[in-house]
Each structure stands twice: as structure tokens, then as C-alpha cells.
Amino acid sequence: MIGIAMSTYQNEAIIEETIRSLQAQASPFRCIIADDGSTDQTVETIRRLTQHDERFEVIALPHGERGIARKTAIDRLKALDVEYLYIIDSDMVLSDDLLKSCLLYLEAHPYIGALVIPEQAYSDHSNFFSQVKVFERNLFNIPTDQLDANSIEAARFWRLDAYVTSGEIDPTQISFEETQPTIRYLEQGGQIRRATFTFVRHNEKQVELTDLLQKKRYYFDVMPTTLQNEDGGLAKALQRWYFFRPVLYHKTNLKKYVRHPLLAAGVIYMYIRLSFIGVESLVFKRVS
């Protein structure tokens, strides 16, 4: 049995596409949806879409943090004795037979503990930074199943025992908490692969630079908690800093930069602005 843990927050407008993609999957699953205190119609919409589908369970939580909602859903699935765990966001649309293909892959490769599911980003909005964010997200879709040492991609499809071995998500970390189990598991000698045989479509919605910078500033401000709770946390963060990620220099991405110079320039500008915010939060605020 596959257990699917989904967190939601204010996703009324886009949740139906995600739910429908789950319901179309042929493989048996249980899906626990933990809502992080939405004040729109997200919970009501989910309940309407799944009211006759016993595979789904909705947990409405008071507003806290994404990690708390994720952990609540995961803990509920662990109590149901699922063998596999798939962690998704409510803006992810599964490709056909994603669950089946991942399950077959892990059954054929018993030494693999988890899979990174490639995300094909898209947006229905045509403003410049919405397209920049889509372009930047898709830079991580390179045609290899191997993860590099400084990867920031989070494994989402796990054998449950491998996920537990990783130390699981720490909801108190708030920022970048979803990548930490992947990093820890690899450091323990575990094997993780990128599932190049399938994908999810990731809705980036509308992105404005000011909104993105504000969101990331918050994550950087709370990031010291993550760094303090992980062995060598600061060193790991610096190794994975924006311009130090090897995936950005993969030959398939170099071709994309040539074909789309304006979007590539937008990514560079965005990374520079985010780097200044990160340095301010992680260095100057830590010192003060």
C-alpha cells in the first residue's frame, strides 16, 4: 500500500486538478490531506471532491507551519501501516500511472530507498517573473537518475523504512525542512535516484519578484533553526548555495541559457537578490 501525504493551504483555486490526478491513479493508495488552517474554501472543496472516495482522509488543522501539516499527514499514514510514502504538495499534478511506475521501479531495485520525482513547472500567467520561476524550476530536470553531491532536490517517494531511517521531517525547522531527510539519508550511505521515467506538473501560479523575495526572506530568517538542528548545517547550506549547484551547469541547461537569454538573465538576477537576502539573514543577523 502506498501512503500519500499532502499538505494544503489556501489552494481552493488549484486543488481540483491535483485531486483528479490522484483519483486517476490505478495503484491502491491512502491519501491523508492535512490542511494548514485555510480560510478559503480549500477544505470544503477537497471534501466535496472526495466525499465518496474512501482512499482520502482530510485533517483540518489550525494555521501553523507547512512542516506541521506534513508531519501530521505522515504520522497518520504510519499508523495505517503503509509500506511506501509519497509526499506531495497541493500544486502538484501527477502524470498517468506515476504511482505504479515508482512502485515497480522500487520493487525491481531493492537497494534504492527513495526517488526524487522530476517536476515539470508551468504557470497560467505570462508575467516575466512567473516565467522566470518556471524556467528556473525546470533547470533541475536533467536526463540522469544520479543526484549530485550538492543537490537540493527532495526525495518524495520513499520506502517507509528508509524514510524513518533518514530521521524524517523536523517540523520545527520550518525552512528547507523537506530536503533534510534526503541529505541525511545520502550521508548515511543510502541510495536515492531521480525518477526520469515519470514526472509531476508543478503549478507555479503567479509569481512577482517582490512576493518571491518576501517569502524567501522569511525562510532565511528562520533558517538558523534548520542549521542548528543539522550536523554541519551551515557548511551544507553554503555548499548548496544558488550559484554552487552543479545542476545549473549541466550541458542541457547551458543550451537552455543560449535559447532563452532573457529568462536566464532573470534567474541570475533573482539569485543575486536572494543571495544578498540570505547573507543578511544568515550572517549579519546571526552575528547580531
Side-chain angles (χ1 to χ4, degrees), residues 52-106:
H52 300 302
D53 194 332
E54 296 182 352
R55 296 174 294 179
F56 292 85
E57 178 181 333
V58 183
I59 303 174
L61 299 171
H63 183 53
E65 293 290 349
R66 177 182 61 186
I68 295 174
R70 280 179 172 167
K71 189 176 190 312
T72 299
I74 292 168
D75 287 347
R76 172 64 179 143
L77 288 168
K78 288 166 66 177
L80 296 175
D81 293 327
V82 300
E83 297 177 74
Y84 297 90
L85 174 65
Y86 183 30
I87 305 169
I88 67 172
D89 297 332
S90 53
D91 54 6
M92 294 178 174
V93 180
L94 281 65
S95 61
D96 295 342
D97 289 329
L98 181 149
L99 298 183
K100 180 180 179 180
S101 61
C102 290
L103 184 62
L104 289 174
Y105 182 90
L106 289 181

Side-chain angles (χ1 to χ4, degrees), residues 185-250:
Y185 190 70
L186 291 172
E187 290 176 341
Q188 294 165 3
Q191 298 291 313
I192 295 177
R193 294 290 185 270
R194 185 181 291 107
T196 56
F197 49 84
T198 190
F199 64 92
V200 295
R201 297 178 66 232
H202 191 147
N203 190 344
E204 294 290 347
K205 303 177 280 295
Q206 184 171 10
V207 179
E208 297 292 351
L209 181 61
T210 53
D211 297 330
L212 187 149
L213 296 179
Q214 184 178 9
K215 177 181 177 181
K216 293 297 185 180
R217 183 182 296 277
Y218 169 70
Y219 285 153
F220 279 122
D221 284 346
V222 297
M223 191 175 177
T225 301
T226 301
L227 303 183
Q228 292 165 7
N229 291 350
E230 299 289 340
D231 292 336
L234 182 58
K236 294 177 186 176
L238 293 176
Q239 291 168 1
R240 292 169 174 82
W241 202 258
Y242 294 105
F243 294 106
F244 298 159
R245 298 166 183 173
V247 67
L248 297 177
Y249 308 102
H250 192 277

Side-chain angles (χ1 to χ4, degrees), residues 21-82:
S21 73
L22 283 168
Q23 291 174 324
Q25 299 293 308
S27 299
F29 68 86
R30 289 292 304 274
C31 179
I32 307 299
I33 304 174
D35 182 79
D36 185 28
S38 294
T39 57
D40 62 1
Q41 296 297 305
T42 297
V43 173
E44 290 77 6
T45 301
I46 296 169
R47 286 176 172 158
R48 173 177 56 81
L49 294 169
T50 64
Q51 60 182 334
H52 300 302
D53 194 332
E54 296 182 352
R55 296 174 294 179
F56 292 85
E57 178 181 333
V58 183
I59 303 174
L61 299 171
H63 183 53
E65 293 290 349
R66 177 182 61 186
I68 295 174
R70 280 179 172 167
K71 189 176 190 312
T72 299
I74 292 168
D75 287 347
R76 172 64 179 143
L77 288 168
K78 288 166 66 177
L80 296 175
D81 293 327
V82 300

